[in-house]
Amino acid sequence: MTDNNTIFDLTVPTEAAAVPVQTQIITADDGERLIVDLTTRTKSYCSMIAETEDEKATLYAAMNTPDGKLMEHIGEILQLKDVYVEAVQCTNEDTGEIIPCPRIVLICADGSSYQCVSKGVYGSLKKLFTVYGEPKSWVSPIPLKVRLIPLGTRNVLTLDIVRPGKSK
């Protein structure tokens, strides 16, 4: 049984943190066997600090009605500026088990936003934040290439860093 208060925490732990970071193993990803219920929301993470009316409108639009699905942008390079993550309930059609899954919205430098429910992207973001820090500390957007990894009957989305002068 999974706790409905699962937090998909992307904040980077500091040495001064008194409370250890709990990790949650997520057993869901983009795939045909999952039904996502976006009506049940628990905790969320948002890196964007919206202060102006325009920034607030951009953030709300990204959270509520992103421009598209990340799956439709395989092979493309996105200039990642901010991230929004919320826990949603997913039902495994094979087992009927309801589990929390990360619904992720990537917000790009041009204001475009792309959503997915993916443990692969969530894992990529955790690693990215460990190396580069949280988006509010970035000097410029991070170029990331969207990649799909076939794993048997399922696919896993991931994000690859695009390094200057390297082709991938």
Side-chain angles (χ1 to χ4, degrees), residues 2-41:
T2 307
D3 180 6
N4 284 336
N5 292 322
T6 301
I7 298 174
F8 294 102
D9 184 12
L10 287 173
T11 56
V12 179
T14 61
E15 291 181 42
V19 180
V21 175
Q22 277 189 320
T23 56
Q24 171 69 37
I25 298 174
I26 303 162
T27 56
D29 202 355
D30 283 329
E32 297 174 15
R33 300 186 166 306
L34 296 175
I35 299 170
V36 178
D37 175 8
L38 297 179
T39 62
T40 306
R41 193 183 90 150

Side-chain angles (χ1 to χ4, degrees), residues 128-147:
L128 183 74
F129 285 19
T130 298
V131 174
Y132 287 87
E134 292 182 52
K136 61 187 168 198
S137 70
W138 299 347
V139 176
S140 58
I142 305 289
L144 298 171
K145 188 172 189 176
V146 182
R147 187 163 55 107

Side-chain angles (χ1 to χ4, degrees), residues 28-124:
D29 202 355
D30 283 329
E32 297 174 15
R33 300 186 166 306
L34 296 175
I35 299 170
V36 178
D37 175 8
L38 297 179
T39 62
T40 306
R41 193 183 90 150
T42 55
K43 307 286 180 162
S44 65
Y45 166 85
C46 184
S47 67
M48 185 176 185
I49 300 168
E51 295 175 342
T52 68
E53 290 302 312
D54 187 53
E55 290 170 339
K56 289 175 184 178
T58 298
L59 177 58
Y60 179 78
M63 293 165 64
N64 193 50
T65 53
D67 295 315
K69 295 179 181 179
L70 190 61
M71 183 70 85
E72 297 168 350
H73 297 275
I74 305 298
E76 293 181 23
I77 296 173
L78 305 178
Q79 298 295 324
L80 184 64
K81 185 172 184 279
D82 283 296
V83 176
Y84 172 75
V85 179
E86 67 181 333
V88 295
Q89 300 299 314
C90 296
T91 303
N92 183 308
E93 288 184 342
D94 291 336
T95 66
E97 179 184 13
I98 297 174
I99 51 178
C101 302
R103 175 183 176 256
I104 301 163
V105 180
L106 303 180
I107 304 169
C108 299
D110 65 1
S112 59
S113 56
Y114 307 101
Q115 74 172 340
C116 65
V117 176
S118 171
K119 71 177 181 179
V121 171
Y122 179 76
S124 292

